[in-house]
C-alpha cells in the first residue's frame, strides 16, 4: 500500500457487456483520515468504482489496492472496512440486536461492540425490531450499525442518504462525519447531491461519464462554480469592470451574474474599482452549484 493511502485505483477501466464504458482510466486515492465525497450524476460510474474498490466487481485494466491488497484477489483486503449500500438489505427474521450479535460473533469481537454500534447509529429503542419493521431512515441506520460492529477504520458508503427525507439525510451524514472526527474513521461517501456531501467532506472527487473531472479540497473544487449575483444601479459599469479582470458576466435587469474565482479578493477588488468608476453596488449574494455545474467540463 502506498504510504498513507487506504485505497488507490490507478488507471482503472471497466466496460459492461454491450459496450457500455462505465470507467475510463480512473485514478483515485483516499488517504487515511480523509472524508472524501464521490459525486456525480446517476450513471457517472460511482457505484461501479465502489464495487471495484471492494473487489465485488473485476476491472478490465488498471490496478486496485485496498489496505495494501488487491480486493478482487485477496478477501483480506476488506478487513477493517465497513460498507453501507444505497438500499441496504439485512435478514428480516431476526431483531436488529440479534443480527448485530451474530455479526459480532463472526468478527470475533466482544458483544459490548453491539451496544456501542446501536448507540452510535442512533438505533436505541429500535434494536428489538426486525429489519422490515424499520422506517427507511432506521434501515439505513441499521446498515450503518452493521458496518460498525467490526470496528472499521474505513467506511465506504454508496448513496447512504438516497430515498430519505432532508432531515434524516442530514442526520445520517452528520453521524458519519462524527465517526471521522471522534474516531478517525476514513470515509468515502458517494452521492449525486453535492450540497449535502460538501458539508462533511474534506475532499471532492467528481465523476462524469466514467472520467474523473474534479479532484481536490472542497473549497478548491467549488470555488470556480459558485454563482454570484450583483445588484447595482448601473450594472453595465460593473459588468465591464469585471470583464476587464477576466470574469464572464451576464446582465439581467439590475443584476450582474458571474462566478467566483479561487481567490475571492479578485471579485471584491473588481467591485471597488467599479465603484471608483461611478457604479453603485447595492448587494451581492452567492448560490451553491448543482452537481451538473461542478462536473461540467
Amino acid at each position: 500500500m502506498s504510504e498513507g493511502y487506504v485505497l488507490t485505483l490507478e488507471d482503472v477501466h471497466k466496460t459492461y457487456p454491450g459496450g457500455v464504458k462505465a470507467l475510463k482510466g480512473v485514478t483515485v486515492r483516499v488517504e487515511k483520515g480523509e472524508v472524501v465525497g464521490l459525486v456525480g450524476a446517476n450513471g457517472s460510474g460511482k457505484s461501479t468504482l465502489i464495487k471495484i474498490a471492494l473487489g465485488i466487481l473485476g476491472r478490465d485494466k488498471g490496478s486496485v489496492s485496498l489496505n495494501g491488497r488487491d480486493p478482487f484477489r485477496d478477501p483480506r483486503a476488506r478487513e477493517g472496512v465497513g460498507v453501507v449500500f444505497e438500499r441496504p438489505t439485512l435478514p428480516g427474521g431476526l431483531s436488529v440486536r440479534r443480527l448485530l450479535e451474530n455479526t459480532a460473533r463472526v468478527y470475533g469481537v466482544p458483544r459490548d461492540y453491539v451496544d456501542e454500534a446501536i448507540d452510535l447509529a442512533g438505533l436505541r429503542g429500535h434494536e428489538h425490531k426486525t429489519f422490515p419493521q424499520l422506517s427507511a431512515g432506521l434501515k439505513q441506520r441499521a446498515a450503518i450499525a452493521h458496518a460498525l460492529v467490526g470496528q472499521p477504520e474505513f467506511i465506504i458508503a454508496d448513496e447512504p442518504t438516497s430515498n430519505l427525507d432532508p432531515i434524516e439525510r442530514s442526520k445520517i451524514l452528520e453521524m458519519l462525519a462524527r465517526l471521522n472526527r471522534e474516531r478517525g474513521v476514513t470515509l468515502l461517501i458517494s452521492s449525486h447531491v453535492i450540497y449535502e456531501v460538501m458539508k462533511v467532506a474534506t475532499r471532492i472527487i467528481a465523476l462524469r461519464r466514467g472520467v474523473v473531472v474534479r479532484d481536490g479540497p472542497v473549497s478548491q473544487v467549488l470555488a470556480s462554480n459558485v454563482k454570484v449575483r450583483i445588484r447595482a444601479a448601473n450594472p453595465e459599469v460593473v459588468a465591464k469592470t469585471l470583464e476587464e479582470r477576466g470574469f464572464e458576466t451576464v446582465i439581467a435587469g439590475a443584476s450582474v451574474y458571474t462566478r467566483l474565482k479561487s481567490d475571492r479578493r479578485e471579485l471584491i477588488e473588481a467591485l471597488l474599482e467599479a465603484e471608483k468608476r461611478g457604479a453603485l453596488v447595492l448587494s451581492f449574494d452567492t448560490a451553491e452549484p448543482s452537481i451538473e455545474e461542478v462536473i461540467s467540463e
Side-chain angles (χ1 to χ4, degrees):
M1 175 173 63
S2 300
E3 187 174 355
Y5 293 116
V6 293
L7 173 66
T8 61
L9 291 85
E10 301 281 349
D11 192 30
V12 171
H13 293 252
K14 179 63 181 179
T15 300
Y16 287 112
V20 178
K21 295 182 178 180
L23 298 179
K24 309 170 188 175
V26 166
T27 293
V28 165
R29 301 179 182 91
V30 178
E31 292 187 37
K32 184 176 181 180
E34 279 193 301
V35 181
V36 177
L38 179 64
V39 303
N42 291 330
S44 62
K46 302 189 302 299
S47 292
T48 298
L49 187 155
I50 285 175
K51 290 175 183 176
I52 289 176
L54 290 168
I56 297 172
L57 191 65
R59 70 268 187 189
D60 302 326
K61 179 184 175 183
S63 63
V64 180
S65 174
L66 177 62
N67 290 323
R69 295 183 170 94
D70 184 334
F72 193 68
R73 295 181 172 86
D74 189 346
R76 293 175 298 172
R78 293 190 288 273
E79 292 178 357
V81 179
V83 184
V84 181
F85 290 109
E86 178 179 359
R87 291 180 175 84
T89 301
L90 297 175
L94 300 174
S95 69
V96 171
R97 171 173 285 282
R98 181 62 62 84
L99 173 64
L100 296 180
E101 288 174 347
N102 289 348
T103 302
R105 280 196 291 271
V106 171
Y107 281 119
V109 299
R111 288 180 62 178
D112 291 349
Y113 286 11
V114 171
D115 283 311
E116 186 177 32
I118 287 171
D119 288 334
L120 285 171
L123 275 174
R124 184 62 66 188
H126 302 279
E127 66 268 32
H128 299 296
K129 297 178 181 178
T130 63
F131 189 73
Q133 292 175 327
L134 300 176
S135 66
L138 289 173
K139 285 179 179 178
Q140 201 63 275
R141 290 173 181 270
I144 292 172
H146 186 260
L148 289 174
V149 168
Q151 298 284 290
E153 297 179 357
F154 181 24
I155 291 179
I156 297 177
D158 187 11
E159 297 276 3
T161 62
S162 180
N163 302 314
L164 301 182
D165 63 62
I167 294 176
E168 193 64 33
R169 289 202 302 263
S170 179
K171 289 180 179 178
I172 293 293
L173 287 173
E174 174 53 31
M175 179 199 315
L176 291 170
R178 191 169 64 250
L179 291 171
N180 173 263
R181 292 195 306 269
E182 298 177 0
R183 295 173 174 252
V185 176
T186 305
L187 299 171
L188 175 62
I189 306 172
S190 82
S191 179
H192 63 278
V193 185
I194 190 169
Y195 72 85
E196 289 184 345
V197 176
M198 64 185 281
K199 295 176 182 177
V200 299
T202 54
R203 184 158 64 92
I204 293 288
I205 297 173
L207 283 177
R208 181 175 185 267
R209 297 176 184 172
V211 176
V212 175
V213 292
R214 299 282 188 274
D215 185 351
V218 174
S219 58
Q220 176 185 317
V221 170
L222 298 181
S224 61
N225 292 285
V226 177
K227 297 177 183 177
V228 180
R229 182 184 68 170
I230 304 158
R231 293 181 61 249
N234 34 11
E236 293 81 7
V237 176
V238 173
K240 182 178 180 181
T241 306
L242 289 173
E243 289 169 1
E244 289 174 356
R245 290 176 173 249
F247 289 88
E248 294 184 0
T249 66
V250 174
I251 298 176
S255 297
V256 178
Y257 292 87
T258 187
R259 293 183 184 275
L260 284 180
K261 296 184 178 182
S262 56
D263 187 348
R264 299 189 177 210
R265 291 175 298 181
E266 291 186 45
L267 176 62
I268 301 300
E269 291 173 357
L271 293 179
L272 291 173
E273 177 63 27
E275 289 186 335
K276 289 180 181 178
R277 298 180 179 183
L280 178 60
V281 176
L282 302 173
S283 67
F284 73 91
D285 52 68
T286 62
E288 294 171 342
S290 65
I291 184 65
E292 290 79 10
E293 290 168 326
V294 169
I295 65 176
S296 64
E297 297 179 325

